[in-house]
Structure formats: structure tokens, C-alpha cells
Amino acid sequence: MSQFKIHSIQTAPGIAQPLLEGSLKKYGFVPNLHGGLAEAPAALKAYIDLTALFDQISFSPTERQVILLAVSVENHCTYCVAAHSMIAKHMVKADPAIVEALRNGKPLSDAKMDALASFTRAVVKNRGAVCGQTLDKFITAGYSRVQVLEVLLGVAFKTLSNYTNHIIDTPLDTAFQAEAWAEPAQSSSAKCA
């Protein structure tokens, strides 16, 4: 059982209340992740600020969701996989086959998108120590050095939420239930230390 509370606007620390009000305006509800992060207002603000920055990078909306889903699957985050599957399919209108391949850790049929997903997974798996063929494949697929660093921004942003969800055991919001995700059987999820 989690030792953390999922805050509402009313129960959140005062400094976090306007941030949660902003979440309510943006999404029509306060995502449980935001309610959990509200325990530490600076963490919630960092997450909101990183979201805004990530939305401004050079990748298309679909490519941004590829990054966020690849990170979340690699980090075994059931909450974020469900949330970004919903966002990708219903808000961004990404090809459902891309979303399903990402959710299952499979190659993508689009070679450029697959290079993006593979590079992102490698960054997470190797804790940023990515070079040689993996980096060359990413650049050869048509991505730039700027985009290498933008992937790192996505990894940092999503790792904050993935790890938060692991630690506070964030319950999945009703809005994301249709995309609930369980890790594929061959995955080995990290266990509590």
C-alpha cells in the first residue's frame, strides 16, 4: 500500500493548488499523477514545466508520443503507458498499429519511427551511454543532433513521472482505463528494494 496521498485541489499544499487548477482546466480533470506530485509542489511544477517544454520541441506530436511511450514501456510504467496510449490514439490521432507495437516492445513498421523508438529505448536501457551504430542509425534515419538532445529531454521528463508512479503507486484514472496496460510476459519488471 502506498504511503502517499493523491491530492485534490482542496487537499493539496497551498502552493500546488493553482497548479492543480491549471491541470483541471487543461485536461478536464486532475490526473492522479498530478495529484500525487502535488505532495511536493516543486516536483509538480517541474513536471508541468517539462511538459510545456517537451510540447515545443521539433518532433511531431506522433513522434513525441513515440518517445514517451518507448520510455514508459522500458521503465515498466503501467500508468504512463495507458495515459500516453490514450493521448496518442485519441488526441494525436497516431496510427493505432504504432501504439500497439510500442506497447508490446515490437519494431514499428515505419523505419524512421522505429529508429526513434529504438534510440529512445537504448537511451533508457543504457542510461544515456548510447553511441556507435545506435546513434548512427538514428541520424541516418533523418534525425538531427538537436533531436538527439530533445530525446534526452523526453527521457528526463517521462522518467520523472514513471518513477513517481512506481513509488507512489498511482491509481489509473478512469479517463485512461480503456488503455490499461500490463507488461508483456517476457518483461522483467524491477522489484522494490
Side-chain angles (χ1 to χ4, degrees):
M1 177 168 200
S2 178
Q3 298 178 14
F4 290 85
K5 179 177 185 171
I6 304 300
H7 286 282
S8 67
I9 293 170
Q10 295 74 27
T11 67
I15 196 166
Q17 289 177 356
L19 299 171
L20 292 181
E21 287 169 355
S23 298
L24 177 61
K25 283 182 188 170
K26 182 175 181 177
Y27 301 107
F29 67 102
V30 176
N32 287 333
L33 170 62
H34 295 205
L37 282 166
E39 184 75 23
L44 175 58
K45 183 166 181 359
Y47 183 78
I48 290 169
D49 290 350
L50 285 170
T51 301
L53 288 170
F54 190 70
D55 285 346
Q56 297 172 26
I57 64 174
S58 65
F59 289 105
S60 72
T62 296
E63 289 171 319
R64 290 195 299 267
Q65 291 305 311
V66 167
I67 294 166
L68 299 179
L69 275 164
V71 173
S72 297
V73 169
E74 199 60 40
N75 282 330
H76 311 283
C77 184
T78 57
Y79 182 94
C80 286
V81 173
H84 287 288
S85 295
M86 182 66 70
I87 292 166
K89 287 181 180 178
H90 301 283
M91 294 173 70
V92 173
K93 305 293 186 204
D95 180 348
I98 289 174
V99 175
E100 289 310 309
L102 287 163
R103 287 169 59 100
N104 294 307
K106 303 290 183 197
L108 307 184
S109 59
D110 178 286
K112 187 172 182 182
M113 291 279 195
D114 188 57
L116 175 59
S118 296
F119 180 73
T120 303
R121 288 183 195 113
V123 168
V124 176
K125 280 182 193 173
N126 299 311
R127 299 179 185 159
V130 177
C131 52
Q133 290 180 332
T134 304
L135 183 57
D136 292 345
K137 182 180 175 188
F138 182 71
I139 298 294
T140 301
Y143 291 110
S144 69
R145 293 188 312 267
V146 168
Q147 289 173 315
V148 169
L149 299 176
E150 290 176 341
V151 167
L152 298 182
L153 173 62
V155 170
F157 154 54
K158 198 51 15 200
T159 299
L160 173 60
S161 63
N162 293 168
Y163 288 10
T164 298
N165 290 321
H166 292 323
I167 291 170
I168 71 172
D169 197 22
T170 312
L172 190 59
D173 299 279
T174 303
F176 307 137
Q177 286 292 332
E179 296 295 337
W181 178 77
E183 295 180 67
Q186 71 272 17
S187 291
S188 60
S189 183
K191 302 297 178 201
C192 292

